[in-house]
Amino acid sequence: MTRDWYAWHEDYDDPESALTRRLQEVRRRVHEALDQAPPGPLRAVGLCAGQGRDLVPVLAAHPRRGDVTARLVELDPRNADIARAAVDAAGLTGVEVVVGDAARTDLYADLAPADVVLVCGVFGNISDADIRATVRHCAALCATGGTVVWTRHRRSPDLVPAIVGWYAEEGFTAVAVTTPADGVGVGAHRFTGTPRPLDRGTRMFAFGD
Protein backbone atom coordinates (compact mmCIF):
# COMPACT_ATOMS: atom_id res chain seq x y z
CA MET A 1 0.00 0.00 0.00
CA THR A 2 1.30 3.46 -0.91
CA ARG A 3 1.93 5.67 2.09
CA ASP A 4 -0.34 8.68 2.58
CA TRP A 5 2.23 11.50 2.71
CA TYR A 6 -0.43 14.02 3.68
CA ALA A 7 -1.36 12.02 6.79
CA TRP A 8 2.35 11.47 7.49
CA HIS A 9 2.62 15.15 8.44
CA GLU A 10 0.31 14.62 11.43
CA ASP A 11 3.30 13.64 13.59
CA TYR A 12 4.37 17.28 13.47
CA ASP A 13 1.42 18.01 15.78
CA ASP A 14 3.20 16.10 18.55
CA PRO A 15 5.96 18.34 19.98
CA GLU A 16 7.73 15.27 21.37
CA SER A 17 7.74 13.23 18.15
CA ALA A 18 10.96 12.30 16.37
CA LEU A 19 9.65 14.08 13.29
CA THR A 20 9.24 17.33 15.22
CA ARG A 21 12.73 17.03 16.70
CA ARG A 22 14.12 16.37 13.23
CA LEU A 23 12.33 19.43 11.91
CA GLN A 24 13.83 21.61 14.62
CA GLU A 25 17.33 20.45 13.68
CA VAL A 26 16.71 20.94 9.96
CA ARG A 27 15.44 24.47 10.55
CA ARG A 28 18.48 25.27 12.66
CA ARG A 29 20.78 24.19 9.85
CA VAL A 30 18.80 26.12 7.24
CA HIS A 31 18.96 29.23 9.41
CA GLU A 32 22.73 28.85 9.76
CA ALA A 33 23.12 28.37 6.00
CA LEU A 34 21.25 31.62 5.36
CA ASP A 35 23.27 33.42 8.04
CA GLN A 36 26.52 32.36 6.40
CA ALA A 37 25.51 32.92 2.77
CA PRO A 38 27.30 35.72 0.90
CA PRO A 39 25.59 39.07 0.27
CA GLY A 40 23.33 39.38 -2.75
CA PRO A 41 20.66 37.22 -4.37
CA LEU A 42 20.32 33.64 -3.10
CA ARG A 43 18.68 30.54 -4.53
CA ALA A 44 17.13 27.59 -2.73
CA VAL A 45 15.51 24.35 -3.86
CA GLY A 46 13.59 21.75 -1.87
CA LEU A 47 13.14 18.16 -3.03
CA CYS A 48 10.02 16.33 -1.79
CA ALA A 49 9.23 19.51 0.10
CA GLY A 50 5.96 18.31 1.65
CA GLN A 51 4.13 21.19 3.33
CA GLY A 52 7.15 23.48 3.21
CA ARG A 53 7.85 23.26 6.92
CA ASP A 54 11.63 22.95 6.51
CA LEU A 55 12.14 26.27 4.72
CA VAL A 56 9.08 28.54 4.83
CA PRO A 57 8.96 29.38 8.58
CA VAL A 58 12.74 29.94 8.67
CA LEU A 59 12.72 32.17 5.64
CA ALA A 60 9.65 34.10 6.84
CA ALA A 61 11.54 35.29 9.93
CA HIS A 62 15.01 35.66 8.42
CA PRO A 63 16.56 39.01 7.44
CA ARG A 64 17.68 37.51 4.11
CA ARG A 65 14.10 36.61 3.12
CA GLY A 66 13.99 39.22 0.37
CA ASP A 67 17.20 37.91 -1.19
CA VAL A 68 15.93 34.37 -1.74
CA THR A 69 14.39 32.88 -4.85
CA ALA A 70 13.23 29.35 -4.03
CA ARG A 71 11.37 26.44 -5.54
CA LEU A 72 9.74 23.73 -3.44
CA VAL A 73 8.78 20.59 -5.38
CA GLU A 74 6.14 18.25 -3.96
CA LEU A 75 4.16 15.49 -5.66
CA ASP A 76 1.07 15.46 -3.41
CA PRO A 77 -1.13 18.45 -4.33
CA ARG A 78 -2.67 18.52 -0.85
CA ASN A 79 0.72 19.10 0.72
CA ALA A 80 1.62 21.58 -1.99
CA ASP A 81 -1.54 23.57 -1.29
CA ILE A 82 -0.59 23.87 2.39
CA ALA A 83 2.95 24.92 1.47
CA ARG A 84 1.62 27.49 -0.98
CA ALA A 85 -0.75 28.90 1.63
CA ALA A 86 2.15 29.24 4.10
CA VAL A 87 4.25 31.00 1.47
CA ASP A 88 1.41 33.41 0.70
CA ALA A 89 0.70 34.07 4.38
CA ALA A 90 4.36 34.93 4.94
CA GLY A 91 4.48 37.20 1.90
CA LEU A 92 7.41 35.29 0.40
CA THR A 93 7.03 36.46 -3.18
CA GLY A 94 10.27 34.79 -4.23
CA VAL A 95 9.15 31.29 -3.22
CA GLU A 96 7.40 29.03 -5.71
CA VAL A 97 5.67 25.73 -4.90
CA VAL A 98 5.52 23.27 -7.79
CA VAL A 99 3.48 20.07 -7.94
CA GLY A 100 5.68 17.52 -9.64
CA ASP A 101 8.10 14.62 -9.38
CA ALA A 102 10.95 15.96 -7.24
CA ALA A 103 13.31 13.37 -8.71
CA ARG A 104 13.32 15.09 -12.11
CA THR A 105 16.38 17.27 -12.63
CA ASP A 106 14.59 19.50 -15.15
CA LEU A 107 12.54 21.05 -12.34
CA TYR A 108 15.67 22.67 -10.90
CA ALA A 109 17.61 23.57 -14.04
CA ASP A 110 16.93 27.32 -13.90
CA LEU A 111 17.84 27.61 -10.21
CA ALA A 112 20.89 25.36 -10.11
CA PRO A 113 23.41 25.76 -8.70
CA ALA A 114 21.58 26.91 -5.56
CA ASP A 115 22.87 28.24 -2.25
CA VAL A 116 20.58 26.03 -0.16
CA VAL A 117 19.51 22.53 -1.24
CA LEU A 118 17.04 20.61 0.93
CA VAL A 119 16.91 16.83 0.58
CA CYS A 120 14.79 16.07 3.63
CA GLY A 121 12.55 13.03 3.96
CA VAL A 122 14.10 11.46 0.86
CA PHE A 123 17.01 9.22 1.83
CA GLY A 124 14.90 7.04 4.11
CA ASN A 125 12.58 6.15 1.24
CA ILE A 126 14.87 5.31 -1.67
CA SER A 127 17.44 2.63 -2.40
CA ASP A 128 21.08 2.93 -1.36
CA ALA A 129 22.07 3.18 -5.01
CA ASP A 130 19.63 6.03 -5.54
CA ILE A 131 20.95 7.82 -2.45
CA ARG A 132 24.44 7.63 -3.92
CA ALA A 133 23.18 8.94 -7.25
CA THR A 134 21.30 11.80 -5.58
CA VAL A 135 24.41 12.81 -3.62
CA ARG A 136 26.24 12.94 -6.94
CA HIS A 137 23.54 15.18 -8.39
CA CYS A 138 23.88 17.45 -5.34
CA ALA A 139 27.26 18.50 -6.75
CA ALA A 140 25.31 19.99 -9.67
CA LEU A 141 22.38 21.32 -7.65
CA CYS A 142 24.56 23.14 -5.10
CA ALA A 143 26.67 26.25 -5.65
CA THR A 144 30.23 26.53 -4.39
CA GLY A 145 29.94 27.56 -0.75
CA GLY A 146 26.30 26.49 -0.68
CA THR A 147 24.78 24.08 1.83
CA VAL A 148 22.90 20.81 1.41
CA VAL A 149 20.68 19.77 4.33
CA TRP A 150 19.53 16.14 4.27
CA THR A 151 17.90 13.59 6.54
CA ARG A 152 18.15 9.85 7.05
CA HIS A 153 17.08 7.71 10.01
CA ARG A 154 19.77 6.14 12.22
CA ARG A 155 18.11 2.73 12.49
CA SER A 156 20.12 -0.37 11.62
CA PRO A 157 21.61 -0.68 9.10
CA ASP A 158 22.80 2.88 9.71
CA LEU A 159 23.70 4.32 6.33
CA VAL A 160 24.56 7.81 7.61
CA PRO A 161 28.35 7.20 7.80
CA ALA A 162 28.32 6.03 4.19
CA ILE A 163 26.28 9.07 3.10
CA VAL A 164 28.77 11.37 4.83
CA GLY A 165 31.55 9.65 2.91
CA TRP A 166 29.69 9.98 -0.39
CA TYR A 167 29.26 13.70 0.13
CA ALA A 168 32.99 14.01 0.86
CA GLU A 169 33.75 12.21 -2.40
CA GLU A 170 31.68 14.79 -4.26
CA GLY A 171 33.50 17.78 -2.78
CA PHE A 172 31.35 18.52 0.28
CA THR A 173 32.60 19.27 3.79
CA ALA A 174 30.49 18.20 6.76
CA VAL A 175 29.13 21.13 8.79
CA ALA A 176 27.07 19.03 11.21
CA VAL A 177 25.80 15.46 11.41
CA THR A 178 23.62 14.25 14.28
CA THR A 179 24.68 11.20 16.26
CA PRO A 180 22.64 8.01 16.78
CA ALA A 181 22.03 9.17 20.36
CA ASP A 182 20.11 12.18 19.04
CA GLY A 183 17.44 9.83 17.74
CA VAL A 184 17.15 11.67 14.42
CA GLY A 185 19.44 11.80 11.41
CA VAL A 186 20.17 15.26 9.99
CA GLY A 187 23.23 16.29 8.02
CA ALA A 188 24.44 19.63 6.68
CA HIS A 189 27.28 19.77 4.17
CA ARG A 190 28.94 22.75 2.49
CA PHE A 191 30.04 22.36 -1.13
CA THR A 192 33.67 23.33 -1.66
CA GLY A 193 34.00 22.05 -5.21
CA THR A 194 33.02 23.44 -8.59
CA PRO A 195 29.44 22.63 -9.62
CA ARG A 196 29.19 20.21 -12.52
CA PRO A 197 26.51 20.78 -15.17
CA LEU A 198 23.11 19.47 -14.12
CA ASP A 199 22.06 16.50 -16.23
CA ARG A 200 18.81 17.29 -18.02
CA GLY A 201 15.99 14.80 -18.46
CA THR A 202 17.21 12.62 -15.60
CA ARG A 203 15.42 11.06 -12.62
CA MET A 204 17.68 11.11 -9.60
CA PHE A 205 15.78 8.49 -7.61
CA ALA A 206 12.65 6.37 -7.43
CA PHE A 207 10.61 7.19 -4.34
CA GLY A 208 8.99 4.29 -2.53
CA ASP A 209 7.76 3.14 0.87
Side-chain angles (χ1 to χ4, degrees):
M1 181 179 294
T2 301
R3 179 175 294 180
D4 184 339
W5 292 106
Y6 178 80
W8 177 87
H9 284 75
E10 293 174 359
D11 275 358
Y12 284 123
D13 296 332
D14 178 1
E16 301 300 323
S17 71
L19 193 59
T20 297
R21 288 186 285 111
R22 189 186 82 176
L23 177 63
Q24 292 169 344
E25 179 67 12
V26 167
R27 287 178 176 174
R28 183 157 72 99
R29 298 305 169 189
V30 172
H31 195 284
E32 289 177 353
L34 292 171
D35 285 345
Q36 297 166 8
L42 300 173
R43 298 175 174 181
V45 296
L47 286 65
C48 300
Q51 297 176 357
R53 301 185 189 221
D54 295 331
L55 178 65
V56 175
V58 177
L59 196 55
H62 200 278
R64 299 296 304 274
R65 55 176 285 157
D67 296 334
V68 178
T69 298
R71 180 171 299 141
L72 304 180
V73 182
E74 166 61 28
L75 187 60
D76 191 318
R78 299 171 298 171
N79 288 330
D81 284 345
I82 291 175
R84 197 174 290 113
V87 168
D88 292 344
L92 296 172
T93 57
V95 180
E96 176 187 20
V97 179
V98 173
V99 176
D101 181 356
R104 290 175 47 218
T105 56
D106 288 355
L107 290 171
Y108 314 99
D110 59 328
L111 289 182
D115 302 279
V116 178
V117 177
L118 300 177
V119 193
C120 301
V122 178
F123 289 168
N125 298 284
I126 64 178
S127 70
D128 293 2
D130 278 0
I131 295 174
R132 181 67 185 91
T134 303
V135 170
R136 188 175 299 112
H137 283 292
C138 283
L141 290 170
C142 194
T144 302
T147 301
V148 172
V149 180
W150 54 274
T151 63
R152 162 77 185 201
H153 62 77
R154 302 303 305 255
R155 298 189 299 273
S156 180
D158 185 0
L159 197 66
V160 167
I163 296 171
V164 171
W166 293 337
Y167 271 109
E169 290 174 14
E170 298 300 329
F172 289 83
T173 299
V175 175
V177 180
T178 56
T179 69
D182 295 319
V184 295
V186 178
H189 287 249
R190 184 166 295 116
F191 188 46
T192 57
T194 300
R196 64 169 61 99
L198 182 65
D199 294 336
R200 300 296 298 270
T202 299
R203 295 189 79 247
M204 294 179 277
F205 53 83
F207 208 75
D209 291 325

